[in-house]
Amino acid sequence: MRVVSFSVPAWFPPRTGGEVRREVQLTEQESAVFLCLATGASNAELAGELQLSVSTVKFHVHNIRAKLGGISRLQACLLAALAREGVRT
């Protein structure tokens, strides 16, 4: 299994009462789901795009959010958009 490292920007606000982890290790499949989160797609739409089951996408989204310090899905989408921009440049 390949692991992808992702850095959270220092300016990114932590969740109330918590702390965002700055270095995160995602599996290859979690990384694919994470980068697709930037589109704002639903779990069902992500499942169709990535050819996964909806329950698998939910599982990965839950793990991604937990690894990022329990942030909201919207915050995860923002970080995914930033990560996609970093991949393009």
Side-chain angles (χ1 to χ4, degrees):
M1 168 179 17
R2 195 178 133 215
V3 176
V4 179
S5 185
F6 173 70
S7 295
V8 177
W11 55 262
F12 192 80
R15 183 174 180 204
T16 305
E19 187 174 317
V20 174
R21 296 181 190 159
R22 297 297 165 196
E23 287 293 321
V24 178
Q25 303 277 314
L26 301 176
T27 66
E28 194 168 351
Q29 205 167 53
E30 286 172 344
S31 180
V33 171
F34 177 66
L35 292 174
C36 285
L37 277 174
T39 65
S42 68
N43 288 339
E45 291 167 331
L46 292 175
E49 184 175 336
L50 296 169
Q51 297 180 342
L52 300 170
S53 71
V54 175
S55 62
T56 299
V57 170
K58 286 180 184 180
F59 177 76
H60 288 315
V61 170
H62 174 79
N63 286 344
I64 292 163
R65 291 178 55 218
K67 287 180 178 184
L68 289 168
I71 63 173
S72 71
R73 184 183 178 106
L74 181 59
Q75 288 175 311
C77 290
L78 173 61
L79 287 177
L82 292 170
R84 281 178 74 148
E85 273 303 308
V87 169
R88 284 187 228 168
T89 57

